[in-house]
Amino acid sequence: MKYKGIWTIAEAEDGRIKEVSYELLTRGKRLSKKLGCELTSILLSNNISEEQAEELILRGADKVYLANAPELEHFIVENYSNVLIELIKKYKPAIILSAATTSGRALMPHVAIRMHAGLTADCTELDIEEDSNDLLQTRPAIGGNILATIKTPEHRPQMATVRPRSTRPAQVDYSRQGKGEIINYQYNQQLFDGRVERIAFRNDAEEDNIQDAEIVVAGGKGLKKKENFDLLNELAGRLNGVIGASREAIDRDWLSYPHQIGLSGKTVTPKLYIAAGISGAIQHLAGMKTAETIIAINQDPEAAIFKVADFGIVGDLFEIIPEINELLEKE
Ligand code: FAD
């Protein structure tokens, strides 16, 4: 049997399909159109109904393999990869995409090694090479200074993880109702060897809300010291936004790591991104340049951040931000 078709690995938590699953469908739809092949979503969980899985069809999947099992309720890499490998060996997809989330980053290398396949982590762009039909996997390399395009000719399946928030989620299309197929996958119980037991799960609330926030107010080294983030906290509070930061600010312990935006931090796509005292290094831009509107405040008119900003304010942030806070207070 030849390897064909595209798979996306959907994710679920607390009985709800996560938004990243729909972002992967945006990628998958474009690629499957180019290849003229089927798009399948794989959903491993314990409590997702067929009605819920239908949303993957409405957003573009032609087929969904749904596996519900108590052993799949929480992400345990051994259980997930055992089921996934059984599915891959049986149905032979040519391309497998997962989100570069905590679980995707653990699952895909596990599966790739066992399948003797290549894996490109943290892709920001995906395409199909015309003559060969190989997957072109683009990701930042050499500290984010170049974008490298990688392909794995010969080897199948081709596997990649995709940066969350690097594209918009596929929208629901009600004309697709009844068009796809949901298959309740009958896994082999022996796949769960029970060697690993999940004892507890601790949610990092800060980490969650920065990527979902509509307004992010971010500060960099220009803030000079930790206490000065009070200014940004005030602004974010008035705007109902959350606080983000450049790596320079995180490395100085002014804020905790879940706030870091950029290549080695989070990617955010808020409606409004305010960058104060941030120079706009390429590694920072990698995490925020797709924000809908960017306002930059920097005293250096040559700062690179102004190249991606929709509105730029050249000046001292210690004068400008208190003025904005004052204006907002009067409103
Ligand atoms: P700086 O570059 O020092 O800029 C400070 C800015 O503040 C300057 O432009 C200055 O003009 C301005 N300023 C100073 N005082 C004032 C004032 N009073 N009013 C207004 N403006 C003022 N960086 C990230 O942010 N996120 C990442 O995820 C990330 N990952 C990286 C991964 C790798 C592999 C590497 C090599 C680097 C990474 N970096 C990352 C670091 C990145 O290269 C930059 O060093 C960093 O983004 C700079 O942070 P900054 O803009 O806060 O500091």
Side-chain angles (χ1 to χ4, degrees):
M1 188 170 149
K2 241 182 98 191
Y3 283 88
K4 62 173 196 292
I6 299 176
W7 283 11
T8 63
I9 311 298
E11 289 185 27
E13 194 176 76
D14 299 331
R16 212 171 53 90
I17 300 176
K18 288 165 77 176
E19 196 77 352
V20 278
S21 315
Y22 308 134
E23 293 173 17
L24 286 179
L25 286 177
T26 301
R27 303 280 188 183
K29 267 171 30 173
R30 205 177 138 252
L31 300 176
S32 68
K33 208 168 158 193
K34 282 203 162 179
L35 284 174
C37 69
E38 201 169 64
L39 176 61
T40 301
S41 278
I42 311 295
L43 184 46
L44 311 183
S45 174
N46 185 31
N47 41 16
I48 297 290
S49 64
E50 282 191 31
E51 288 71 28
Q52 284 172 291
E54 174 79 13
E55 188 158 350
L56 293 161
I57 303 280
L58 297 182
R59 293 186 191 245
D62 300 304
K63 202 184 263 179
V64 177
Y65 283 110
L66 177 63
N68 277 307
E71 292 84 353
L72 297 172
E73 172 146 10
H74 301 295
F75 177 73
I76 292 175
V77 72
E78 285 81 1
N79 291 351
Y80 270 57
S81 75
N82 286 349
V83 176
L84 192 53
I85 285 171
E86 187 177 75
L87 279 161
I88 296 169
K89 287 187 175 160
K90 210 163 176 180
Y91 299 109
K92 296 193 168 22
I95 294 173
I96 307 174
L97 307 177
S98 157
T101 50
T102 312
S103 51
R105 283 175 202 227
L107 175 63
M108 293 289 267
H110 216 271
V111 172
I113 284 182
R114 292 173 61 193
M115 291 301 301
H116 302 287
L119 170 67
T120 308
D122 235 4
C123 295
T124 50
E125 280 308 323
L126 294 169
D127 209 344
I128 300 293
E129 191 175 60
E130 259 178 35
D131 297 335
S132 65
N133 277 349
D134 284 335
L135 178 67
L136 299 175
Q137 307 152 54
T138 302
R139 54 153 297 155
I142 317 188
N145 288 305
I146 62 158
L147 285 174
T149 298
I150 295 159
K151 60 176 189 167
T152 42
E154 321 271 309
H155 278 81
R156 296 291 184 266
Q158 303 157 94
M159 298 178 61
T161 62
V162 184
R163 269 216 143 197
R165 314 290 154 140
S166 60
T167 191
R168 305 256 166 217
Q171 295 302 302
V172 169
D173 172 1
Y174 287 105
S175 72
R176 292 186 50 77
Q177 232 153 9
K179 290 216 171 124
E181 194 185 353
I182 297 176
I183 297 147
N184 271 303
Y185 187 65
Q186 298 308 315
Y187 48 85
N188 179 348
Q189 191 63 35
Q190 283 167 351
L191 292 175
F192 309 126
D193 61 12
R195 279 187 307 164
V196 180
E197 188 192 347
R198 188 179 171 117
I199 295 168
F201 175 70
R202 215 180 57 201
N203 198 4
D204 187 336
E206 288 177 320
E207 191 171 357
D208 280 340
N209 68 20
I210 193 162
Q211 289 194 301
D212 293 334
E214 297 208 330
I215 297 180
V216 176
V217 180
K221 201 169 112 191
L223 264 292
K224 313 260 190 291
K225 55 180 180 180
K226 186 176 182 156
E227 294 68 34
N228 290 337
F229 266 87
D230 289 349
L231 274 178
L232 294 195
N233 272 319
E234 190 181 337
L235 179 58
R238 291 189 193 284
L239 295 172
N240 249 339
V242 301
I243 293 286
S246 72
R247 182 159 147 182
E248 284 285 344
I250 303 297
D251 286 351
R252 285 173 168 70
D253 255 351
W254 295 345
L255 281 178
S256 60
Y257 174 66
H259 294 274
Q260 183 176 319
I261 291 162
L263 185 66
S264 47
K266 303 262 148 42
T267 303
V268 294
T269 47
K271 291 208 164 95
L272 175 64
Y273 189 86
I274 302 180
I278 292 178
S279 59
I282 187 162
Q283 296 87 357
H284 186 78
L285 301 187
M288 47 62 77
K289 65 173 186 251
T290 49
E292 254 174 64
T293 302
I294 298 169
I295 301 178
I297 306 169
N298 198 304
Q299 64 188 12
D300 174 8
E302 302 298 325
I305 192 79
F306 288 128
K307 293 204 179 93
V308 297
D310 300 281
F311 301 96
I313 306 173
V314 179
D316 184 350
L317 71 91
F318 296 106
E319 289 170 14
I320 293 159
I321 294 182
E323 265 181 56
I324 301 176
N325 282 336
E326 220 170 280
L327 284 172
L328 289 171
E329 193 181 7
K330 281 186 196 149
E331 276 211 344

